[in-house]
Amino acid sequence: MGILAADGQLDAARLARHEFAGELSLAGELRPVRGALALALALRRQGPQQVLVLPAVSAREAALAPGLDVRSADHLLEVVRAMAPGDDVPALPKAEPMTLAREQLLPDLRDVKGQSAAKRALEIAAAGGHSLLMIGPPGSGKSMLAQRLPGLLPPMSEDEALASAALQGLAARSFDAKAWGRRPVRAPHHTASAVALVGGGSPPRPGEISLAHAGVLFLDELPEFARASLEALREPLECGRITISRAARQAVFPARFQLVAAMNPCPCGWLGAPAGSGHRCRCTPDQIARYQTRISGPLLDRIDMQVEVHAAAPAQMLSQGDGAASAAVASRVAQARERQLGRQGAVNADLLPAQIDVHCALDATTTQFAQRAATQLGWSGRSLHRVIKLARTIADLAGAAAIHNDRLAEAMQLRRGLPER
Ligand SMILES: [Zn+2]
């Protein structure tokens, strides 16, 4: 555009009010660009007087950003004509936002037979935004449970939906309208590279953890992921974003996902299988320890809940509708979240240490109980903080102001799936 402006055919003041993006073909056609919505959101922050001009497909994506004037063009010549000096030049057509589908067909918790303890854990995770590691044998329903978490979460806010759509649009050619307002569930395979998982490349693109922003990141067979990939999760788990550094530039992508991870208790999977189940663990204590320590202490420390999931008994497998439907759980979760947001403007999982002192205060008896248990279990201060936040969520689900011993005790049980280290 700068070259064209130099020959005097274009109105400089008009040009200055416009931002342009598009891939230019040799014949002058404009082709879609990646990240149109992200661009629109960034431009909107600069002020309302800006006009964004994009190729048609990208323009429809960008027009999702409220309050921004987005115009569409298919050919460079249309743009040049619209930027010519004078009052009677043809304006570029206003872009219509893409049609969005709000249809939500999420898997229901009712399909999971038995597993009342695991379902309770999932409800608590949903209510407080807590990260969850499920440890159990193959076929115990860990993936089924994980897939049902989004159905327990409240609908996305508009800001969350916009951020999620912008990130999807940066990673793919364009945003899929059917995914609008739907909490994403990303389940990368353990062979995924660190770049695919956390983002990278040139120019930097968001990875799975950012595509899971405002949704759920499900990592099955957690110990099988590369150590470097797992360690890279520490920053986003702590602060909800990821910094990607390349030689010359740095990119920061949002990555506030809810982590649900799953693993077998040992390499063969059958450690702790009940007698008579037909399964017996054949791993040596050394193999078990090596397997479990593939998840480092600092990472484990950052996962709020670590629970065992057992295979449902055959009688439960044949029973019909033995548990609450997702809708009933989601309504309790919504009430618990309202309490949290009203009290502290964040979900319990996101409370900082100073806020824990204010919003999760324990009475004298409960404090003593917490200290005694932490000493016996060899818990770090960080672990204890996470247990207290969990107990806060359990109290919120019960509509209670105070965290008493029984709630703290339940929270402790939700963090005992793996030995502390
Ligand atoms: Zn084993």
Side-chain angles (χ1 to χ4, degrees):
M1 294 293 168
I3 300 164
L4 287 162
D7 67 17
Q9 294 176 16
L10 299 180
D11 181 330
R14 186 169 293 152
L15 264 181
R17 281 195 309 277
H18 290 72
E19 286 286 340
F20 306 87
E23 195 181 307
L24 189 59
S25 82
L26 288 175
E29 285 147 0
L30 301 176
R31 297 193 179 137
V33 280
R34 234 177 250 275
L37 180 54
L39 183 65
L41 291 174
L43 199 62
R44 192 180 61 156
R45 283 194 289 272
Q46 287 175 20
Q49 67 283 21
Q50 288 291 320
V51 182
L52 178 60
V53 180
L54 289 168
V57 174
S58 305
R60 298 193 65 208
E61 183 186 320
L64 289 172
L68 185 73
D69 190 351
V70 183
R71 305 281 165 153
S72 128
D74 291 316
H75 199 281
L76 186 61
L77 280 178
E78 294 169 46
V79 180
V80 172
R81 267 183 229 121
M83 295 301 130
D87 294 333
D88 54 349
V89 292
L92 289 167
K94 222 170 159 56
E96 284 299 319
M98 64 205 300
T99 322
L100 299 168
R102 275 248 183 211
E103 156 207 13
Q104 298 247 15
L105 272 177
L106 295 169
D108 200 286
L109 207 53
R110 209 165 13 195
D111 312 332
V112 182
K113 310 284 186 193
Q115 304 290 15
S116 54
K119 287 178 187 168
R120 167 79 176 155
L122 207 59
E123 177 171 342
I124 294 167
H130 301 287
S131 46
L132 168 67
L133 170 62
M134 291 183 281
I135 304 136
S140 54
K142 292 168 290 187
S143 319
M144 252 187 120
L145 286 158
Q147 283 153 11
R148 278 150 183 81
L149 178 57
L152 308 182
L153 298 171
M156 277 178 156
S157 67
E158 189 179 68
D159 280 350
E160 282 179 322
L162 280 169
S164 171
L167 286 159
Q168 316 283 336
L170 271 171
R173 263 293 169 194
S174 98
F175 166 68
D176 178 5
K178 288 199 285 299
W180 173 260
R182 187 181 294 187
R183 292 200 185 269
V185 183
R186 305 294 301 193
H189 191 254
H190 59 76
T191 53
S193 67
V195 167
L197 192 66
V198 302
S202 186
R205 297 231 178 103
E208 291 289 341
I209 61 168
S210 292
L211 295 176
H213 177 72
V216 175
L217 179 72
F218 177 50
L219 301 181
D220 200 5
E221 303 198 52
L222 191 66
E224 306 294 338
F225 280 79
R227 184 83 181 219
S229 306
L230 291 181
E231 293 310 300
L233 295 175
R234 282 160 55 180
E235 182 196 342
L237 278 174
E238 203 71 10
C239 62
R241 58 174 189 274
I242 183 84
T243 310
I244 294 161
S245 299
R246 300 284 303 173
R249 50 201 290 200
Q250 214 178 44
V252 179
F253 292 119
R256 192 170 291 285
F257 53 85
Q258 189 162 0
L259 175 68
V260 180
M263 65 183 278
N264 293 338
C266 66
C268 84
W270 298 109
L271 180 68
S277 65
H279 297 289
R280 200 160 63 86
C281 172
R282 298 182 182 281
C283 310
T284 65
D286 198 39
Q287 284 172 322
I288 296 169
R290 237 191 345 259
Y291 180 77
Q292 293 188 348
T293 49
R294 281 195 214 163
I295 302 160
S296 73
L299 175 61
L300 198 60
D301 225 23
R302 286 167 171 79
I303 303 178
D304 292 357
M305 308 170 70
Q306 299 149 21
V307 300
E308 282 183 76
V309 177
H310 303 284
Q316 287 174 322
M317 294 306 291
L318 296 173
S319 68
Q320 294 289 322
D322 57 345
S326 286
V329 179
S331 125
R332 291 198 291 269
V333 166
Q335 285 173 21
R337 282 194 171 227
E338 248 169 59
R339 266 181 215 112
Q340 296 164 56
L341 297 178
R343 181 179 60 228
Q344 66 217 14
V347 289
N348 291 332
D350 293 340
L351 285 176
L352 301 169
Q355 295 173 296
I356 295 175
D357 295 341
V358 179
H359 300 298
C360 311
L362 306 176
D363 61 29
T365 329
T366 315
T367 305
Q368 266 180 8
F369 172 56
Q371 283 166 349
R372 217 172 33 242
T375 312
Q376 273 170 10
L377 296 165
W379 275 347
S380 64
R382 200 199 292 262
S383 277
L384 188 58
H385 267 164
R386 290 194 188 263
V387 166
I388 292 172
K389 289 196 272 188
L390 270 177
R392 177 70 268 168
T393 300
I394 294 168
D396 286 330
L397 271 170
I403 304 171
H404 289 310
N405 276 0
D406 51 347
R407 297 192 176 112
L408 199 62
E410 184 181 1
M412 287 173 177
Q413 287 307 318
L414 294 170
R415 207 181 156 80
R416 300 211 50 196
L418 283 180
E420 189 80 7
R421 53 175 178 274

